[in-house]
């Protein structure tokens, strides 16, 4: 290798290190060596997304810092968990990356087959690779919404060597109180990301989000939605990857302006109490219905602390709590029971 090429390689490595929160699971040099392969490009994307989001959040909460926890999974792979707790702005903010591989558990395979996946195992064994970036952000101020996003890639290898692959993900907002300006900004930003690829995607994935984040036993959505999709394997691997990349790049611009607008708003003890009650609903959905949580708990060697990072530090359940009619609390409940179109 010529000296100039070596210098360029070292410069690129240093730039990547500065964008990441920790060395990637697969190793920086291995990723660069296989940079044209989609698995490597996806791992680079989730690493860069983790770094972008952590830096944006830390800039809003300068008195706090992210604890960076690198972990290994003995069955194959590992991850990087970045968690900020007890800041001035964020009570808890986690941004996790995981890259795991090995053999799919029968419970996890059964969950996938229940969604219509045709998975052919050999002697009950299914080699798999799964990677993604996932985040839940719980602010202190009840006028700043909770936000969640997750973007992931999955591969299954069948006995004849055939690779099944698909992408999934989404970004959604869970406000304690309804602010229509925030809702419109959030949804418009996600719509713009989708529209770059196909005008049909935003309405399709917006509805999917409203349907997915539904707390059946409460008859209400977890929040005011966003976009959600899963098992996407068309039109082509490259086209879906570019779509996922656009969505990941939309995370900071769809959320950070909302945090800046409200993080210093005044609030009452009653408003803080309502936030705690709404967080209880968040916990109920994540533990009872969330597909990612279930998959993680069913995967041998999973890191439980990282899976349950999505739960808030504090929440509350009161018996038969009902907000007064025509109150701000009742207003958000109406939207959670009857989703709105925020962009038309």
């Amino acid at each position: 290798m010529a000296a100039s090429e070596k210098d360029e390689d070292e410069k690129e490595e240093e730039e990547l290190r500065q964008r990441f929160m920790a060395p990637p699971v697969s190793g920086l040099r291995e990723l660069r060596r296989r940079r044209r392969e989609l698995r490597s490009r996806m791992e680079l994307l989730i690493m860069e997304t983790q770094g972008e989001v952590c830096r944006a959040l830390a800039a809003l909460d300068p008195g706090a810092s992210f604890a960076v926890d690198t972990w290994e999974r003995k069955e194959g792979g590992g991850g990087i968990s970045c968690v900020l707790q007890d800041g001035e702005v964020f009570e808890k903010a986690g941004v996790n990356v995981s890259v795991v591989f090995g053999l799919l558990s029968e419970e996890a395979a059964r969950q996938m087959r229940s969604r219509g996946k045709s998975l052919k195992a050999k002697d009950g064994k299914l080699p798999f690779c799964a990677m993604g970036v996932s985040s839940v952000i719980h602010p202190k101020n009840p006028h700043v919404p909770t936000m969640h996003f997750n973007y992931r890639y999955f591969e299954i290898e069948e006995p004849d060597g055939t690779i099944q692959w698909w992408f999934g993900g989404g970004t959604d907002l869970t406000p304690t109180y309804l602010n229509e300006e925030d809702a419109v900004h959030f949804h418009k930003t996600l719509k713009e990301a989708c529209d770059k690829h196909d005008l049909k995607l935003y309405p399709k994935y917006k509805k999917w989000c409203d349907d997915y984040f539904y707390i059946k036993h409460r008859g209400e959505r977890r929040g005011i939605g966003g976009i959600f999709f899963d098992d996407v394997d068309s039109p082509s691997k490259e086209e879906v990857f570019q779509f996922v990349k656009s969505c990941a790049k939309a995370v900071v611009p769809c959320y950070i302006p909302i945090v800046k607008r409200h993080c210093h708003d005044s609030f009452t003890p009653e408003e803080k109490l309502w936030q705690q009650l709404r967080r209880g609903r968040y916990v109920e959905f994540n533990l009872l219905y969330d597909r990612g949580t279930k998959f993680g708990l069913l995967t041998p060697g999973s890191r439980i602390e990282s899976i349950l990072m999505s739960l808030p530090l504090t929440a509350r359940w009161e018996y038969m709590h009902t907000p007064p009619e025509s109150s701000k609390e009742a207003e958000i409940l109406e939207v959670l029971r009857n989703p709105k179109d925020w962009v038309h």
Side-chain angles (χ1 to χ4, degrees):
M1 181 185 291
S4 60
E5 289 181 48
K6 186 176 180 181
D7 290 344
E8 284 297 316
D9 284 349
E10 290 177 353
K11 182 180 178 182
E12 184 185 1
E13 280 193 25
E14 183 56 33
E15 288 175 352
L16 287 173
R17 284 193 191 95
Q18 291 176 3
R19 297 210 297 266
F20 298 163
M21 297 298 288
V25 175
S26 299
L28 189 55
R29 297 206 169 176
E30 179 66 12
L31 288 179
R32 290 181 65 253
R33 187 177 71 81
R34 304 173 64 175
R35 71 178 77 190
R36 290 182 176 83
E37 296 181 18
L38 190 129
R39 274 171 62 165
S40 295
R41 294 164 66 201
M42 183 64 180
E43 188 169 347
L44 286 168
L45 174 63
I46 62 179
M47 291 294 301
E48 289 178 2
T49 302
Q50 181 184 53
E52 288 170 4
V53 174
C54 287
R55 285 191 296 272
L57 296 175
L60 295 178
D61 207 338
S65 61
F66 277 92
V68 180
D69 184 14
T70 301
W71 53 273
E72 292 184 7
R73 176 177 175 267
K74 67 178 182 179
E75 292 83 356
I80 303 151
S81 297
C82 297
V83 181
L84 181 158
Q85 290 188 155
D86 285 320
E88 291 297 316
V89 175
F90 302 109
E91 183 174 296
K92 187 179 182 186
V95 190
N96 290 347
V97 156
S98 64
V99 180
V100 298
F101 51 86
L103 297 175
L104 201 63
S105 71
E106 184 53 43
E107 293 91 341
R110 193 179 301 119
Q111 182 188 339
M112 290 180 180
R113 289 189 179 103
S114 72
R115 306 202 312 264
K117 288 288 179 190
S118 175
L119 303 177
K120 300 171 186 174
K122 183 178 182 180
D123 301 326
K125 296 179 180 178
L126 268 171
F128 82 99
C129 172
M131 63 181 69
V133 57
S134 180
S135 174
V136 177
I137 300 158
H138 293 291
K140 280 193 168 178
N141 193 311
H143 297 294
V144 182
T146 286
M147 195 268 284
H148 157 261
F149 75 88
N150 171 270
Y151 291 99
R152 57 194 178 275
Y153 174 68
F154 212 98
E155 283 186 359
I156 294 280
E157 183 180 348
E158 298 188 324
D160 63 359
T162 300
I163 300 290
Q164 282 200 53
W165 60 269
W166 60 89
F167 289 88
T171 304
D172 62 281
L173 197 70
T174 304
T176 301
Y177 289 95
L178 182 63
N179 181 298
E180 295 210 2
E181 183 183 353
D182 295 342
V184 170
H185 166 80
F186 185 80
H187 278 268
K188 275 192 171 180
T189 307
L190 294 178
K191 182 178 184 298
E192 288 167 5
C194 293
D195 286 354
K196 293 176 186 176
H197 301 272
D198 189 330
L199 296 179
K200 296 176 183 176
L201 294 179
Y202 170 76
K204 177 181 178 181
Y205 294 154
K206 192 266 185 192
K207 183 181 185 306
W208 199 338
C209 187
D210 288 334
D211 293 342
Y212 177 76
F213 290 105
Y214 182 60
I215 309 172
K216 296 174 187 174
H217 60 278
R218 298 287 189 181
E220 62 191 45
R221 276 77 191 166
R222 189 178 75 176
I224 62 166
I227 57 172
F228 177 85
F229 55 92
D230 207 354
D231 301 328
V232 177
D233 57 6
S234 66
S236 73
K237 191 180 282 189
E238 181 62 27
E239 287 173 286
V240 184
F241 172 73
Q242 291 299 332
F243 166 67
V244 168
K245 185 175 182 179
S246 293
C247 293
K249 295 297 181 186
V251 168
V252 168
C254 79
Y255 182 61
I256 294 300
I258 296 174
V259 181
K260 287 181 177 178
R261 195 178 299 143
H262 299 294
C263 63
H264 299 300
D265 287 2
S266 61
F267 58 89
T268 66
E270 291 76 21
E271 289 171 332
K272 187 66 180 178
L273 171 62
W274 179 243
Q275 180 195 52
Q276 297 293 295
L277 292 168
R278 296 312 308 167
R279 283 184 179 171
R281 299 289 204 267
Y282 206 94
V283 171
E284 289 175 23
F285 178 86
N286 281 31
L287 294 183
L288 292 174
Y289 301 116
D290 186 69
R291 192 179 294 166
T293 302
K294 286 184 176 181
F295 176 80
L297 296 174
L298 293 174
T299 302
S302 289
R303 194 163 190 276
I304 303 304
E305 287 295 324
S306 296
I307 295 167
L308 298 182
M309 174 274 299
S310 64
L311 303 183
L313 279 184
T314 59
R316 186 179 176 97
W317 286 264
E318 285 191 8
Y319 184 70
M320 298 295 285
H321 183 279
T322 304
E325 288 186 22
S326 303
S327 65
K328 286 286 187 180
E329 292 78 12
E331 179 185 37
I332 187 71
L333 280 182
E334 175 60 27
V335 172
L336 300 180
R337 290 166 182 161
N338 301 287
K340 288 183 64 173
D341 180 350
W342 298 101
V343 297
H344 296 102

